Amino acid sequence: MASIQLDKIGKSFGAVDTIHAIDLDIGDGEFVCLLGPSGCGKTTTLRMIAGLEQPTRGSIRIGGRDVTRAQPKDRNIGMVFQDYALYPHMTIADNIAYPLKVRGMAEAQRHEKARAIAEVLHIGQLLDRLPAQISGGQQQRTSLARALVHPADAFLFDEPLSNLDARMRVEARAFLCHLQRSRGMTAVYVTHDQAEAMALSTRIAVMCAGDIVQYAPPLEIYRRPATTFVAGFVGDPPMNLVAAQATRCDRGITLRGGGLEMSAFASWPALDRALDRGDRVTLGVRPEHLRIAADGAGGRLHGKLFANEAMGPESLVTLDLDGGVRVTARVFGDAPVLVEGDAAFAFDAARITLFDSAGNRIDDPV
Amino acid sequence: MNRRALISRIVFSVCAALLGVAFALPLIWFVFAPFNAHADLDLALPAPPTLANFARVFANGAAVGALLNSLLQAFGTVLLVATTATLAAYALARATLRGKRVIEYVLLLFSSVVSGSAAMVPIFLIVNALGLIDTQLAVILVFAGGLLPTAMFILRDFIASIPRGYEESALVAGASPWRAFVDVVVPVLRPGVTIAAVWAFVQVWGGFLIPFVLLRSEQRMPASVEIYSFYSQAGTPIVPLLAAYSVLYSLPVIALYWYVNRKYGFRFFGGIKS
Ligand SMILES: Nc1ncnc2c1ncn2[C@@H]1O[C@H](COP(=O)(O)OP(=O)(O)O)[C@@H](O)[C@H]1O
Ligand SMILES: [Mg+2]
């Protein structure tokens, strides 16, 4: 296992600047997710680490060694592709053993190793089949086995679970999580699924349009999203965001917005500085911090009921606010939630996150 | 079914049958004539059927040698075309080359010129200058030059349909680009190479002008040229021998199609891709 450092890595395709200047420091044994919407440059970043794409600028180190110009074969990595990329003419055993074959291991020995890893992944009975003769989930595990069969310095995953159905995805996710815990492998894992990133990572790098907007442990990202983009991307459903106008009064600060009302609260230095730059802010509050109530000490959101979805262990209640924004509350428990027509959510002032007019997070009071 | 439909159906069937017979007659002749010691251009049942025609053909050393020459030229060309076309097509399909399109069109243009009869005089002059007149090598090189571009285009489309991920996963598994090509691309490409090879074989096998112009001595002539030795001085065919020789001449091509059909079922374009 080894660490990975990206130093101001950039990539342009022709005139299009896809990756701007990414810095990423991945420690030995860390499992880092690149999380972001489709087209933000996650795959391109991963392919640059693998050596399948040449960076236009910057440098890459694996295990302290500069590999920016090194061929993929000289980087000692294992990689799982989104479409698995199993060799169609080779049996499952030969597919798994291929990295060992390339390194000159004798056939008997490499098939022994392939069998061992296949057993761990529950595909030991498929070794003589061809890739076309096994299911999608089995192909996925085969490609995982092929990446793991050789002790690589780092493992790269490009949305390895996205072609599985929902149920198998959760199962495979738990397996990867277990693998990471037991092997302590250095891994870079690309996904657009925030739940996957939350479940697997030691740290998440949230990407947006060719930049990393936040790089932090999952809970940190969840609790303290750096920008409105991160807030609106992480969480299922994500954080509710409501535009508001801040006013200073003698009791502190009050926030007003379409459908939003908040009692005055005491300001703090970071908020004061933000308000000096502009009084338009965005209020963020997680669905689980909203209650269905007409009043409360902190703040209220008024609107019309849009949807009421009972999911079993929880219900999701969505309102269309008077200002046109849509907000969702998560109500735990399987009791039916009774709301009709005009309704309101209440929340505690301590639960809110504020973003300045540029969409950057305003630090909490300390 | 009403009367009109019935009548039109009968008329259609009769016409179709007549048409079928018109096309079938030469084939039926081709089945009977080789076994008829007195065959002429009329359709006749051999009485009795005999292998005498074949015996006379095999007794003719030049005729048998010509078949071997054809095999030599065809296999030589196929080997050359298959390897060079595969490598060139791989480069064309995968490399990000500036002006790739232009190169492709120029090649396509040249391929129709080089294999065409219009280029025979310059080709003859070049081969002559190289001192290769009357050599099998000259025939193979000229054939290969003409067939290469088209073979390359056939293969390029096959390669374009192979996901890059196959090679890339081999690269990250530790293979060099050449190794990835040999281990992953070539096996997946095998049906495509087979088609290109069969096509090239058939082209050479039936090719007349190139060997006719470039070769001098009779012992180097391929069957396509040698077949004219079964014509009399006056230019009339010696039908029994010609018929028997024609059968021998078509056998390799038929065998080849049979083999490819059995192996790939003529569903080439699905290939073995999963
Ligand atoms: N080979 C390429 N040539 C041109 N543009 C590319 C190429 N690869 C990716 N891109 C562009 O770069 C952007 C990021 O792509 P990608 O890294 O695949 O995004 P993601 O994996 O986050 O969905 C996209 O807009 C895509 O169109
Ligand atoms: Mg991608």
Side-chain angles (χ1 to χ4, degrees):
Chain A
M1 292 300 137
S3 62
I4 301 174
Q5 281 91 32
L6 306 191
D7 186 20
K8 305 232 164 11
I9 276 292
K11 176 73 186 177
S12 309
F13 290 110
V16 186
D17 211 19
T18 299
I19 307 288
H20 302 127
I22 283 185
D23 283 312
L24 194 63
D25 197 333
I26 299 166
D28 194 345
E30 253 199 291
F31 196 112
V32 168
C33 278
L34 300 180
L35 174 67
S38 186
C40 71
K42 308 179 297 291
T43 296
T44 305
T45 307
L46 196 75
R47 289 169 58 83
M48 287 194 287
I49 300 175
L52 296 172
E53 208 83 70
Q54 269 295 315
T56 315
R57 318 168 270 285
S59 67
I60 300 173
R61 274 175 298 149
I62 299 179
R65 190 167 59 96
D66 189 326
V67 295
T68 316
R69 305 272 158 216
Q71 285 197 38
K73 74 181 173 69
D74 300 322
R75 300 189 182 206
N76 194 27
I77 45 177
M79 185 162 173
V80 178
F81 290 78
Q82 180 165 6
D83 57 3
Y84 313 141
L86 299 177
Y87 316 125
H89 59 293
M90 293 187 201
T91 62
I92 300 306
D94 284 333
N95 262 283
I96 297 176
Y98 188 70
L100 302 175
K101 181 182 177 188
V102 167
R103 288 176 173 81
M105 189 182 282
E107 177 154 353
Q109 203 182 346
R110 63 175 192 258
H111 277 162
E112 190 48 47
K113 290 211 168 207
R115 171 167 297 283
I117 187 92
E119 295 296 344
V120 174
L121 288 159
H122 307 297
I123 45 173
Q125 75 286 8
L126 305 172
L127 287 171
D128 296 328
R129 304 231 196 132
L130 289 174
Q133 299 164 337
I134 63 177
S135 75
Q138 291 164 339
Q139 291 182 6
Q140 193 267 336
R141 277 177 277 169
T142 304
S143 88
L144 195 59
R146 183 177 60 184
L148 296 173
V149 72
H150 165 76
D153 283 339
F155 294 97
L156 309 177
F157 300 90
D158 191 358
E159 312 219 13
L161 309 185
S162 62
N163 289 342
L164 300 181
D165 59 46
R167 196 191 166 130
M168 280 177 53
R169 195 151 58 218
V170 173
E171 199 180 297
R173 195 175 77 195
F175 179 80
L176 278 175
C177 188
H178 168 77
L179 208 65
Q180 157 66 4
R181 299 281 173 274
S182 55
R183 290 194 169 212
M185 55 188 180
T186 306
V188 185
Y189 186 105
V190 162
T191 180
H192 65 266
D193 180 346
Q194 58 90 30
E196 236 166 78
M198 295 295 289
L200 292 171
S201 325
T202 54
R203 277 195 281 178
I204 298 177
V206 184
M207 291 188 67
C208 174
D211 281 311
I212 291 181
V213 285
Q214 189 172 10
Y215 181 40
L219 281 181
E220 171 77 10
I221 298 239
Y222 189 76
R223 290 184 184 141
R224 281 181 282 278
T227 66
T228 47
F229 171 80
V230 179
F233 199 77
V234 174
D236 183 29
M239 185 179 264
N240 296 300
L241 296 170
V242 183
Q245 171 94 39
T247 324
R248 296 182 216 245
C249 63
D250 41 355
R251 282 171 298 141
I253 309 284
T254 58
L255 294 181
R256 288 270 175 286
L260 166 73
E261 261 176 58
M262 252 191 108
S263 327
F265 55 88
S267 186
W268 61 90
L271 180 57
D272 280 330
R273 283 195 300 278
L275 293 183
D276 289 342
R277 294 195 297 272
D279 56 2
R280 306 291 311 172
V281 296
T282 302
L283 172 127
V285 55
R286 291 262 172 223
E288 52 271 36
H289 297 145
L290 292 175
R291 300 184 303 277
I292 298 178
D295 50 9
R300 283 161 307 284
L301 293 163
H302 298 280
K304 276 199 166 46
L305 182 70
F306 173 72
N308 184 355
E309 304 158 85
M311 322 278 290
E314 66 188 20
S315 293
L316 298 178
V317 181
T318 305
L319 298 189
D320 272 337
L321 294 192
D322 301 341
V325 184
R326 198 162 277 172
V327 296
T328 301
R330 162 179 277 152
V331 183
F332 293 99
D334 57 4
V337 179
L338 302 168
V339 261
E340 274 315 324
D342 288 330
F345 295 150
F347 54 89
D348 294 338
R351 292 298 198 180
I352 65 169
T353 303
L354 290 176
F355 301 91
D356 66 17
S357 49
N360 294 316
R361 179 168 193 283
I362 300 169
D363 283 337
D364 293 330
V366 278
Chain B
M1 197 186 291
N2 63 31
R3 273 170 62 103
R4 270 184 73 125
L6 186 70
I7 289 171
S8 76
R9 183 117 181 207
I10 289 172
V11 170
F12 175 79
S13 302
V14 168
C15 288
L18 285 176
L19 208 63
V21 168
F23 278 102
L25 280 177
L27 287 177
I28 296 171
W29 178 87
F30 189 66
V31 170
F32 290 138
F35 303 99
N36 186 343
H38 310 288
D40 54 22
L41 293 178
D42 295 331
L43 193 59
L45 280 180
T50 166
L51 292 175
N53 294 343
F54 289 97
R56 279 176 67 191
V57 167
F58 279 117
N60 181 340
V64 175
L67 284 171
L68 296 179
N69 287 339
S70 280
L71 283 177
L72 175 71
Q73 290 167 13
F75 276 114
T77 307
V78 162
L79 211 66
L80 197 61
V81 167
T83 46
T84 48
T86 305
L87 292 170
Y90 186 61
L92 268 188
R94 289 295 197 243
T96 44
L97 208 65
R98 211 172 249 285
K100 197 163 84 174
R101 271 275 129 79
V102 178
I103 297 177
E104 289 178 0
Y105 282 119
V106 168
L107 283 175
L108 199 58
L109 204 67
F110 272 107
S111 75
S112 47
V113 174
V114 169
S115 49
S117 41
M120 276 328 294
V121 172
I123 286 176
F124 179 84
L125 293 177
I126 294 170
V127 171
N128 197 23
L130 289 170
L132 290 177
I133 289 293
D134 202 22
T135 61
Q136 305 287 20
L137 182 64
V139 175
I140 290 173
L141 286 179
V142 172
F143 265 126
L147 300 179
L148 183 57
T150 311
M152 218 166 71
F153 285 108
I154 297 175
L155 286 174
R156 189 201 55 177
D157 288 345
F158 270 96
I159 293 173
S161 72
I162 301 176
R164 263 171 203 263
Y166 289 174
E167 291 135 271
E168 292 181 340
S169 74
L171 292 179
V172 295
S176 64
W178 173 254
R179 181 98 199 244
F181 173 72
V182 172
D183 281 355
V184 176
V185 177
V186 171
V188 175
L189 195 59
R190 196 166 289 149
V193 176
T194 306
I195 297 188
V198 167
W199 170 80
F201 185 95
V202 171
Q203 297 294 311
V204 178
W205 195 255
F208 172 78
L209 195 58
I210 290 174
F212 184 69
V213 170
L214 298 182
L215 296 177
R216 294 275 159 78
S217 24
E218 202 192 354
Q219 76 265 23
R220 297 206 177 85
M221 288 296 178
S224 57
V225 177
E226 187 60 24
I227 210 164
Y228 286 90
S229 67
F230 295 110
Y231 283 68
S232 67
Q233 294 291 331
T236 48
I238 309 164
V239 175
L241 295 186
L242 194 62
Y245 197 63
S246 300
V247 169
L248 296 176
Y249 181 52
S250 0
L251 277 183
V253 175
I254 294 170
L256 216 55
Y257 276 121
W258 174 81
Y259 167 78
V260 171
N261 185 28
R262 205 189 55 155
K263 188 127 193 233
Y264 300 112
F266 272 108
R267 288 176 296 115
F268 295 127
F269 287 89
I272 52 169
K273 282 196 320 103
S274 53

